[in-house]
Amino acid sequence: MARKRPGDDAAGDRPDDEVYDEAVDDADATDEEPVRGGGTAVRERRPKEKNDVRRAGIVGVISRFFREIISELRKVIWPTRNELLTYTAVVIVFVTVITTIVALLDLGFARLILFSFGS
């Protein structure tokens, strides 16, 4: 059984040729100029109303800040305990390997400098 697409209900039981012909006819009849172009979504600013209650001052700003923090933390996908332990082990191994490489390079360059200047 074929799945319906969003435009299938509007077309009804008409053949595809009829639907296409109507779409072409509608596209040719552009009597009105577009009000806005570009295709970029723009949010319209609404004028402030007298009944628009907003908290002013530092308390309102801090309150809004913490509400937004809580809202964002609810969107976070927290790792499971197993994932957390795996990621922690990977980080510890990686840091250990990089620290060892840097320490060996530092030791090698220090010996090279001491050998070059003869001490």
Side-chain angles (χ1 to χ4, degrees):
M1 178 176 205
R3 295 181 67 189
K4 285 190 173 185
R5 293 183 303 211
D8 288 347
D9 292 335
D13 294 330
R14 295 180 288 178
D16 290 338
D17 292 337
E18 289 179 22
V19 175
Y20 179 73
D21 290 339
E22 285 181 10
V24 171
D25 292 340
D26 290 341
D28 290 339
T30 54
D31 296 333
E32 299 177 15
E33 291 293 323
V35 176
R36 198 176 240 171
T40 304
V42 177
R43 192 174 117 200
E44 301 271 338
R45 290 184 181 255
R46 64 181 177 95
K48 287 186 179 180
E49 299 174 7
K50 292 180 181 177
N51 298 338
D52 195 11
V53 179
R54 294 178 188 251
R55 291 186 190 173
I58 191 74
V59 175
V61 171
I62 293 173
S63 172
R64 181 177 176 199
F65 176 72
F66 281 109
R67 277 187 278 127
E68 288 179 5
I69 287 175
I70 292 170
S71 172
E72 290 298 322
L73 285 175
R74 287 186 179 139
K75 297 176 189 176
V76 173
I77 299 173
W78 297 98
T80 63
R81 182 173 178 81
N82 192 22
E83 291 173 338
L84 183 66
L85 292 174
T86 302
Y87 297 154
T88 303
V90 167
V91 168
I92 289 173
V93 167
F94 181 76
V95 168
T96 304
V97 168
I98 295 300
T99 303
T100 304
I101 291 172
V102 170
L104 290 174
L105 286 172
D106 182 48
L107 182 65
F109 286 132
R111 291 203 176 182
L112 183 66
I113 295 297
L114 287 176
F115 178 74
S116 297
F117 293 117
S119 172

